[in-house]
Structure formats: C-alpha cells, structure tokens
Amino acid sequence: MRLRNIAGSREVIADSDFTVKDPEKKKGLWHKEVFGNNNPIHIEIGMGKGRFLMDLATLHPDINYVGIEKYSSVLLRAIQKQEQLLLPNVKFIRMDAEVLCEVFAPDEVDRIYLNFSDPWPKDRHAKRRLPSREFLKRYDQIMKPDGVVEFKTDNKDLFEFALEEIEPAGWTLDAVTRDLHNDPVMNEGNVMTEYEERFSSLGNPIYKYIISRKGK
Ligand code: SAM
C-alpha cells in the first residue's frame, strides 16, 4: 500500500503522541515506559492504515498493540483514526521492519501479525518478504518462547513460499487454511483487514497460517 506523498505527513508523525520516536531507545522498556503495564505485546508489521490493529485493540483492552509501517503517508491515516479513538493500548512506529531487533529486546513480544504483506515477486527480493526465513529469524530474536506469528494473504505464490520457509527457519506449523472465510475453526473471531475485505469481495480465497517454535 503506497498512497501518494501527503505533504506534512512526516511532521504530523513526528508531533503525534501515538507514534514512538527513536524506538530503539525503548528496547527492553516497552512494558515499563511505553505502556506502563505488563500486558502482552502484539505487533503488526506492515499495518497499512491500521484498521485491523485498532479493531483488535478495541476488542482486547488488556493487550498492548504496536503497529509498524514504513510509509509516512499510510501511517498518517492510522494516526488520524487513533486521534478519534484514543485507544490507550495502541502505539505506532514508522520504520522498516528490517531493524526490528534494534527496537525490541528478546522475549518482549508475544505475537506478530503479518497481513497481506508485499509479495516482492522477484527471486532476488525474496529476503524482503516478511514471512521469509530471514524475517522469521528476526521474529525469533524478539519473541517469547511460546509466541506465535499469524500470517494472512490472498497471494498463493507468497503463501506457498511462506510455508516452505517455516522449517528451515526453525519454526513449526500449528494451523493452516487455504480458504479462511470458509473454515469455521480458523475463521472464528477473525478480524478482517482492509486488504482482506477488498480481495475477498473479489472472490479471492484467503490463506492463513499460524506458526510457533514448539519446544523452545
Ligand atoms: N496490513 C494491511 C492490510 O492487510 O490491509 C496493509 C497491507 S499492504 C499490502 C502492506 C503494507 O506493509 C504497506 O503499507 C507497506 O508499506 C508495509 N510494509 C511492507 N514492508 C514493510 C516493512 N519491511 N516494514 C514496515 N512496513 C512494511
């Protein structure tokens, strides 16, 4: 998702109380300094306009949510929504997820959501795909031992690639569906993202997996 450049979006982000500036200074301090509680931390990488994250945060006030998005023009939309909702359990970071391990300490994160991640179809860009083994290794470094990654997409090629990355990266497949909306077990309590609503309305099936590091 890339909206046209919106003048002033960087300034709005810099001034907003809902974005965490210099997030690497919060490494190991997210519970104590950012949220002021010990509730679990769930993050969405590539949050887009933040609808999914804020719907979840409304449903689960006892969980802290961090939305990560690399483009200011998109993050701006999430900030504008949060200015209306004022959810105390939501913060945003504008950054590329490649630096995740500089921002979160080991064991600091309980769950990671990847929703409709950019497919990066060229082979030479495979390392940029958010469910790639390179990223799974980063997630491994910041998550609690029982942490899970939940990934949804309508992109079959990206999903097949993601499934093949699980084992080499040391993760375990806990649940999988190739038609989420017609899978009564995995669809229970499903919160739709903006892309999910758009693509499922075109008739595209939604793929989903949940992975963990069993025995870690
Ligand atoms: N998750 C939303 C949804 O499902 O509606 C948005 C999906 S959109 C296709 C993917 C988003 O991920 C874009 O806004 C893009 O800027 C962001 N993104 C992609 N790679 C990223 C990265 N490495 N770090 C942070 N954000 C990233």
Side-chain angles (χ1 to χ4, degrees):
M1 179 185 300
R2 195 157 182 194
L3 304 179
R4 73 192 153 76
N5 267 342
I6 298 175
S9 55
R10 278 192 181 249
E11 289 75 10
V12 172
I13 289 165
D15 287 348
S16 171
D17 288 341
F18 306 120
T19 55
V20 177
K21 271 68 78 176
D22 300 323
E24 60 287 350
K25 292 188 182 156
K26 301 298 177 195
K27 183 171 178 171
L29 301 169
W30 283 86
H31 288 104
K32 200 172 152 204
E33 283 194 6
V34 179
F35 290 108
N37 61 46
N38 254 330
N39 293 341
I41 294 179
H42 294 186
I43 67 180
E44 184 185 7
I45 303 176
M47 150 193 83
K49 297 185 209 163
R51 180 182 128 177
F52 168 83
L53 193 86
M54 287 185 263
D55 282 353
L56 279 185
T58 306
L59 288 169
H60 305 286
D62 50 349
I63 294 174
N64 300 318
Y65 291 91
V66 181
I68 296 172
E69 170 54 51
K70 70 176 170 185
Y71 288 120
S72 309
S73 53
V74 188
L75 177 54
L76 178 68
R77 300 300 182 210
I79 291 172
Q80 288 167 337
K81 189 167 171 158
Q82 168 68 331
E83 279 167 357
Q84 313 276 314
L85 297 173
L86 300 174
L87 294 162
N89 54 335
V90 170
K91 293 288 179 194
F92 306 122
I93 314 174
R94 193 194 65 76
M95 71 175 199
D96 191 311
E98 282 188 3
V99 299
L100 212 52
C101 302
E102 292 165 31
V103 168
F104 295 98
D107 288 357
E108 205 161 26
V109 173
D110 295 80
R111 184 174 304 188
I112 294 179
Y113 293 104
L114 310 173
N115 292 319
F116 296 80
S117 308
D118 294 344
W120 292 105
K122 291 186 179 139
D123 283 349
R124 70 171 192 276
H125 291 148
K127 287 182 184 172
R128 297 186 194 172
R129 298 172 192 153
L130 294 177
S132 67
R133 67 191 71 184
E134 288 80 8
F135 270 99
L136 291 181
K137 282 176 190 154
R138 293 183 180 113
Y139 308 152
D140 182 37
Q141 288 180 52
I142 62 168
M143 292 183 81
K144 293 233 170 74
D146 59 352
V148 298
V149 173
E150 298 198 11
F151 171 51
K152 291 195 277 191
T153 183
D154 71 323
N155 187 311
K156 186 172 189 302
D157 290 345
L158 180 64
F159 193 67
E160 299 306 336
F161 165 84
L163 286 173
E164 283 170 17
E165 294 293 276
I166 298 169
E167 214 183 289
W171 289 70
T172 304
L173 183 64
D174 291 337
V176 63
T177 176
R178 286 180 166 78
D179 191 359
L180 175 64
H181 296 174
N182 289 304
D183 183 322
V185 176
M186 284 192 74
N187 199 42
E188 203 188 334
N190 182 49
V191 170
M192 289 230 256
T193 79
E194 284 177 326
Y195 271 64
E196 183 172 355
E197 201 157 274
R198 194 188 301 173
F199 290 123
S200 61
S201 73
L202 298 174
N204 298 5
I206 306 301
Y207 306 88
K208 176 173 179 174
Y209 77 37
I210 302 173
I211 60 172
S212 68
R213 296 151 301 161
K214 287 266 155 59
K216 205 179 170 203

